[in-house]
Amino acid sequence: MSEERQHIVRVPGSRRAQLTRVEGTHAEPHVREERHAGIDGEHGPNDAQMLREVPPHY
């Protein structure tokens, strides 16, 4: 059973390591659809900004 896995590569002079590429993957980030408020009607002054922002863990 031979699994192709990522390997950790240490980068001299850098605080972060890198992972090797796995066949069938790509480095481009996932592009999500534009979100819209679910309720029609009045909106607060910062609703547009809150809908654009995404928490860092997403």
Side-chain angles (χ1 to χ4, degrees), residues 12-55:
S14 177
R15 293 182 63 172
R16 295 179 181 243
Q18 293 181 346
L19 293 173
T20 58
R21 187 171 182 270
V22 174
E23 191 64 35
T25 62
H26 55 84
E28 292 81 29
H30 176 70
V31 178
R32 64 182 180 98
E33 296 178 19
E34 186 68 29
R35 296 188 305 178
H36 300 284
I39 300 173
D40 291 333
E42 291 186 30
H43 298 282
N46 65 343
D47 284 352
Q49 179 181 356
M50 300 234 357
L51 287 171
R52 282 192 310 268
E53 292 178 351
V54 176

